[in-house]
Amino acid sequence: MTATALGEWPGSDPFEAQRIIRGELGDPHLPFLAALPDRGPGSDALGRTLAMLVELPFDLQPHGWRLVAHPGRDQRRAESALSSDINALGDIAGAEEAPAGRIKIHLRGPLSLAADVHLHSGERALLDAGARREIYESLAVGAARLVQRIAAVSRGAAPVVQLDEPDVDAVLAGRIPTASGYRTLRAIDRREATDAWGLLHAALRSAGSPRTVLAIPADDVVLDAALSSPAEALALGVPGISDRQWERLAEAVEAGRELWTGVLPVAGSLSQVSAVVRTILDPWQRIGLPLSALDALTLVPVGGLAALSPATARLALTRLAQAADALNQVRAEG
């Protein structure tokens, strides 16, 4: 059992972020390429993902990120921030005696990306089937190139890719508002969601990524779609998972799928290790999963760490690693 975090980190120094993350998440845990939204536009979750796209220029407007005809200053800033993060990773990994064998990168998933980026007209790209298709294809190519780039600078580490889909429940339910806010956009068919995830998965596997993780809200329709996707792992916050959903996740674990569980709330004081352990053991034992299956788990925080102080963010990683170690001990004794 291992620990990692979702990807956001406080501060503006990518070298310091990588030094702390790789120090706290040593083997067997999973270090990650940090995003630093405190640096401003272009380092936020959406701008960072747009910086990975291929042949889809973008800029930033008062209403948000927008696809445009030609690249400009906002795009260059986002691409520069991503390059700085990758260079910092390369410098830190290059100085290690025993570099990690895996590295996690995260990006906005295709459905949420289409819901959050706008067309030149100001409407959301989600409205236009052709624009959605272009986004899915561009993201697949760009993410594959990023995997190869990360593997090269991190001395051959296998990049695990986390696709964040925070808005997919609203996308599939038809709750995304139009630009005017007076209507909502038509729901996207679940088949389109699984096809888009499948396109990303195939591109990532071809590029050398061993695992795709879908980070989704605990919603029944979304869970159905995610379980139909080829993603090797699902990431959900444990506090929001119903007993019925736990039963479905148990079946997925028994079939070989991995589960990334959000077990450490980061709003307020951090839970003690014993409380984190109970957060996962209580439902695990309630639904009758064997302790031997705990190795299917990866522990993550409930939310990003960017709003925390650097010291508290570091402590969060320590708590997660300690909780994973404690659960490994429970598994060994069980």
Side-chain angles (χ1 to χ4, degrees), residues 41-43 60 65 72-82:
S43 294
L60 183 61
W65 292 100
R73 179 183 60 185
D74 299 318
Q75 179 168 342
R76 290 191 293 272
R77 179 167 51 190
E79 292 171 345
S80 176
L82 178 58

Side-chain angles (χ1 to χ4, degrees), residues 2-6 162 235-236 260-264 298-302 320:
T2 57
T4 189
L6 296 177
Q162 170 191 315
L236 299 93
W260 291 29
T261 50
V263 292
L264 181 68
T298 294
L299 305 186
V300 298
V302 181
L320 287 166

Side-chain angles (χ1 to χ4, degrees), residues 26 57 147 152 158 160 288:
V147 162
V160 174

